[in-house]
């Protein structure tokens, strides 16, 4: 027994030495950070020590050639080359442009690491991400009065006065734990505070909007986004970013039911059964060898090759680069915006929407048919890595048919809602009122925000008949349209127009928040 224990101890020591040998040398500054934080924040330190950043120096990473190279920068500052990418290497970068930079044990550091910092090594990824809808997610929500109105009706505090119900603006913390959890907050220094730490009293900046890792976070250096939204700190794992659970954090539904649809699809079925056998860290990612069914990253982001080494799709961090359609209905599905800053968009009625209420595209702000074809072909190249051309064509035919059908469905629902507004049974945009603050308007909102979206996501992601029909799909969509119509018909019977009036149809006035 003693001999066995001795042998096991030797093996464990050898394993530990192998792990230590695999780690890259650490800078003096990072060594100093680790000296304290390994006991204060052991979870963070251990996570980093198991990361790729801890094992490989930028000099070694720059030496990798071909598709396996993960550092897209052509050069990296000389002082960063010989050591691991550690605490100091990230939290002291670009100190002069970070408003949250402060003196900590004789070193100028900042709390929130930004895409601009990561761009030191991952230049192309940062540039691509900055041209992505996600990078502008906070502004696209916060600076659109229509979306802000909907947010207030959902998150606001209900107050009933003199028989009238209103929703007061939500608290900042409510917004931050609600919509801006994913869309991102604005980080701003609002002062300094003294904290009693295990090492004595220390001064730290107080940040409003913190903590947050939202995709459109506005950082203290002015950059947009958080790489940790997908590559969670401090492992910054490729594997984590490639698994669908990461995307699930924000895309779970019912407004954007991507994860639920994926989980109920054949692809999700294969992933659930077989993913333990897959290699999620391989770069490039080889279809058929490293994985046998796509995840979110396969279709939208990853560098994917076939078993002959031919590139099926190049790595991108511009998530819409392979998408011809924006299937999240606002109010209708539409071609993707040309510019990721969607606050510029105005439909012909002056509303901040990519379509009119009748479904007409705000075409000057959206990609054209030629770009839609290019993006479709880019996506289909990935599908063709596993499927025949006839299979892929058949899938797209169904998907695009679904887009046409759901646009028609929502046109019918919106036409009924417009008649309700025109008869004065509810107050909407033509009355300079919110289109979301009455129960019947919520019924209309459900039709396009939840159910039409689910039908389209199911068609796009092969999500299965049951999910697209009965699980927040066609059944609920047709029911909401019927409810709208019956609601209007009942009021027309109770309050017939005298004399009959011509309904004004869809609203034409620009939307305005009161």
């Amino acid at each position: 027994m003693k001999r066995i224990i001795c042998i096991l101890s030797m093996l464990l020591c050898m394993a530990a030495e192998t792990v230590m040998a695999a780690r890259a040398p650490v800078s003096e500054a990072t060594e100093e950070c680790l000296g304290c934080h390994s006991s204060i924040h052991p979870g963070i330190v251990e996570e980093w020590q198991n990361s790729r950043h801890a094992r490989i120096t930028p000099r070694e990473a720059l030496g990798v050639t071909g598709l396996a190279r993960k550092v897209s920068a052509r050069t990296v500052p000389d002082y960063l080359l010989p050591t691991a990418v550690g605490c100091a290497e990230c939290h002291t970068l670009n100190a002069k442009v970070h408003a949250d930079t402060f003196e900590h044990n004789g070193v100028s550091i900042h709390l929130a690491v930004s895409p601009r910092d990561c761009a030191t090594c991952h230049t192309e990824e940062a540039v691509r991400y900055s041209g992505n809808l996600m990078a502008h997610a906070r502004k696209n929500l916060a600076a659109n009065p229509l979306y802000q109105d909907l947010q207030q009706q959902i998150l606001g505090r209900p107050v009933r006065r003199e028989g009238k119900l209103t929703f007061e603006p939500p608290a900042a913390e409510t917004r931050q734990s609600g919509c801006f959890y994913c869309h991102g907050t604005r980080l701003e220094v609002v002062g300094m505070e003294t904290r009693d730490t295990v090492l004595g009293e220390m001064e730290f900046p107080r940040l409003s909007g913190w903590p947050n890792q939202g995709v459109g976070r506005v950082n203290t250096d002015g950059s947009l986004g958080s790489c940790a939204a997908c590559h969670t700190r401090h492992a910054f794992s490729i594997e984590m970013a490639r698994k669908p659970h990461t995307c699930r954090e924000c895309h779970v539904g019912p407004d954007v039911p991507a994860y639920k649809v994926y989980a109920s699809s054949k692809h999700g079925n294969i992933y659930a059964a077989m993913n333990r056998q897959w290699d999620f860290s391989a770069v490039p990612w080889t279809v058929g060898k490293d994985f046998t069914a796509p995840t979110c990253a396969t279709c939208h982001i990853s560098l994917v090759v076939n078993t002959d080494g031919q590139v099926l799709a190049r790595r991108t961090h511009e998530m819409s680069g392979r998408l011809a359609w924006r299937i999240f209905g606002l109010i209708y599905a539409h071609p993707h915006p040309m510019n990721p800053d969607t606050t510029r968009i105005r439909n012909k009625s002056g509303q901040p929407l990519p379509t009119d209420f009748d479904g007409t595209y705000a075409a000057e702000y959206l990609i054209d048919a030629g770009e839609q074809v290019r993006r479709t072909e880019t996506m289909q190249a990935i599908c063709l890595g596993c499927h025949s051309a006839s299979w892929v064509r058949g899938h797209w035919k169904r998907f695009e048919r679904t887009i046409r059908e759901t646009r028609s469905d929502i046109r019918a629902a919106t036409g009924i809602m417009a008649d309700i507004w025109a008869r004065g049974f509810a107050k909407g945009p033509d009355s300079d009122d919110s289109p979301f603050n009455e129960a019947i308007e919520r019924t209309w909102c459900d039709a396009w925000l939840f159910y039409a979206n689910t039908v389209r996501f199911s068609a796009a992601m092969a999500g299965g008949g049951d999910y697209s029909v009965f699980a927040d799909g066609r059944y609920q969509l047709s029911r909401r349209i019927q409810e709208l119509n019956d609601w209007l018909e009942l009021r027309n019977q109770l309050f017939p127009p005298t004399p009959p009036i011509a309904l004004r149809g869809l609203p034409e006035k620009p939307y305005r928040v009161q």
Side-chain angles (χ1 to χ4, degrees):
M1 178 62 74
K2 290 182 178 179
R3 184 179 179 185
I4 292 173
I5 293 173
C6 183
I7 292 172
L8 287 173
S9 299
M10 290 174 62
L11 289 173
L12 287 172
C13 289
M14 291 171 63
E17 288 174 2
T18 301
V19 171
M20 290 301 293
R23 292 178 187 155
V26 176
S27 68
E28 290 184 10
T30 289
E31 190 68 59
E32 195 170 335
C33 299
L34 295 174
C36 294
H37 287 277
S38 58
S39 58
I40 298 173
H41 299 118
I44 288 176
V45 172
E46 289 298 321
E47 186 178 35
W48 172 79
Q49 287 179 337
N50 290 317
S51 73
R52 189 181 300 269
H53 281 163
R55 297 196 306 269
I56 300 172
T57 68
R59 176 177 283 124
E60 292 170 328
L62 286 169
V64 176
T65 59
L67 296 176
R69 181 166 168 165
K70 303 168 192 66
V71 172
S72 58
R74 293 188 177 183
T75 60
V76 172
D78 288 344
Y79 76 93
L80 294 174
L81 290 174
T83 58
V85 179
C87 321
E89 284 67 35
C90 293
H91 287 275
T92 65
L93 274 176
N94 306 310
K96 292 183 179 179
V97 297
H98 279 273
D100 61 331
T101 295
F102 68 108
E103 189 275 329
H104 183 64
N105 288 339
V107 180
S108 294
I109 70 167
H110 53 270
L111 300 175
V113 176
S114 73
R116 179 173 177 174
D117 300 324
C118 300
T120 304
C121 295
H122 303 288
T123 310
E124 183 178 341
E125 290 78 7
V127 171
R128 289 282 187 183
Y129 189 82
S130 68
N132 177 27
L133 277 171
M134 286 185 175
H136 295 262
R138 183 195 177 277
K139 179 182 179 182
N140 289 342
L141 173 60
N144 187 311
L146 185 61
Y147 303 163
Q148 281 297 290
D149 182 19
L150 178 59
Q151 179 186 240
Q152 180 168 328
Q153 303 305 322
I154 296 171
L155 302 182
R157 185 168 65 91
V159 176
R160 195 164 183 265
R161 296 190 183 94
E162 299 179 356
K164 183 175 177 58
L165 179 68
T166 60
F167 288 85
E168 295 187 345
E173 292 81 4
T174 302
R175 294 195 301 270
Q176 291 165 13
S177 63
C179 300
F180 290 108
Y181 176 90
C182 290
H183 283 255
T185 58
R186 177 182 292 278
L187 304 185
E188 293 181 307
V189 179
V190 293
M192 298 292 292
E193 64 181 8
T194 301
R195 299 180 196 165
D196 187 14
T197 75
V198 294
L199 300 176
E201 288 189 348
M202 291 186 176
E203 291 282 324
F204 295 91
R206 284 192 296 115
L207 290 179
S208 64
W210 184 259
N212 182 262
Q213 64 282 320
V215 293
R217 189 181 74 194
V218 181
N219 299 296
T220 60
D221 61 356
S223 65
L224 303 178
S226 169
C227 302
C230 301
H231 300 275
T232 302
R233 60 184 189 276
H234 285 85
F236 303 103
S237 164
I238 294 174
E239 178 178 355
M240 181 178 292
R242 283 175 168 174
K243 288 187 175 180
H245 312 91
T246 295
C247 304
R248 176 188 183 180
E249 191 171 350
C250 292
H251 295 286
V252 68
D255 56 332
V256 187
Y259 180 84
K260 288 183 178 179
V261 169
Y262 176 80
S264 65
S265 72
K266 183 59 69 179
H267 292 155
N269 184 358
I270 297 170
Y271 168 81
M274 308 300 294
N275 77 84
R276 291 174 182 81
Q277 302 171 25
W278 297 357
D279 185 350
F280 287 93
S281 298
V283 177
W285 215 12
T286 304
V287 61
K289 175 187 173 185
D290 298 325
F291 65 98
T292 54
T295 66
C296 316
T298 311
C299 296
H300 296 287
I301 304 167
S302 296
L303 168 60
V304 180
V305 301
N306 63 20
T307 49
D308 292 329
Q310 296 174 319
V311 175
L312 302 180
R314 297 206 170 269
R315 181 190 299 119
T316 182
H317 280 59
E318 188 176 346
M319 313 307 178
S320 61
R322 304 173 189 175
L323 296 176
W325 292 98
R326 194 180 183 198
I327 60 177
F328 176 63
L330 297 167
I331 302 165
Y332 299 86
H334 54 277
H336 260 278
M338 287 188 291
N339 192 299
D341 179 0
T342 63
T343 62
R344 306 178 182 190
I345 296 176
R346 291 294 181 275
N347 63 19
K348 68 181 181 183
S349 303
Q351 299 158 329
L353 289 172
T355 69
D356 283 288
F357 271 49
D358 65 1
T360 303
Y361 299 138
E364 65 180 293
Y365 300 98
L366 309 178
I367 62 174
D368 60 23
E371 177 63 13
Q372 282 192 291
V373 170
R374 187 195 69 77
R375 293 188 184 190
T376 296
E377 290 175 346
T378 302
M379 178 67 85
Q380 288 177 340
I382 301 170
C383 305
L384 290 167
C386 291
H387 298 290
S388 68
S390 62
W391 182 287
V392 175
R393 282 196 304 269
H395 173 78
W396 246 263
K397 182 179 179 181
R398 292 175 185 171
F399 168 55
E400 294 189 342
R401 175 72 183 188
T402 299
I403 289 196
R404 293 194 299 271
E405 286 183 347
T406 54
R407 282 178 52 80
S408 177
D409 293 341
I410 298 307
R411 177 63 180 83
T414 305
I416 299 168
M417 191 68 240
D419 287 353
I420 292 171
W421 285 326
R423 285 297 319 275
F425 296 141
K427 292 182 179 180
D430 269 357
S431 302
D432 290 331
D433 195 61
S434 168
F436 310 120
N437 63 354
E438 300 182 56
I440 193 61
E441 293 170 333
R442 289 293 188 92
T443 299
W444 166 68
C445 188
D446 287 351
W448 53 265
L449 183 59
F450 300 148
Y451 308 129
N453 281 349
T454 295
V455 172
R456 286 190 292 266
F457 273 92
S458 295
M461 300 168 60
D466 192 59
Y467 198 91
S468 66
V469 178
F470 292 108
D472 291 340
R474 293 182 186 274
Y475 180 89
Q476 289 84 356
L477 174 57
S478 61
R479 177 176 175 175
R480 289 299 184 271
I481 296 172
Q482 187 67 56
E483 288 174 354
L484 283 167
N485 188 73
D486 291 353
W487 193 94
L488 174 60
E489 287 300 309
L490 176 60
R491 279 150 186 79
N492 279 334
Q493 292 173 18
L494 294 173
F495 308 103
T498 53
I501 63 171
L503 296 182
R504 289 178 290 168
L506 300 173
E508 294 295 333
K509 286 186 179 181
Y511 183 79
R512 216 169 48 187
V513 172
Q514 297 300 300

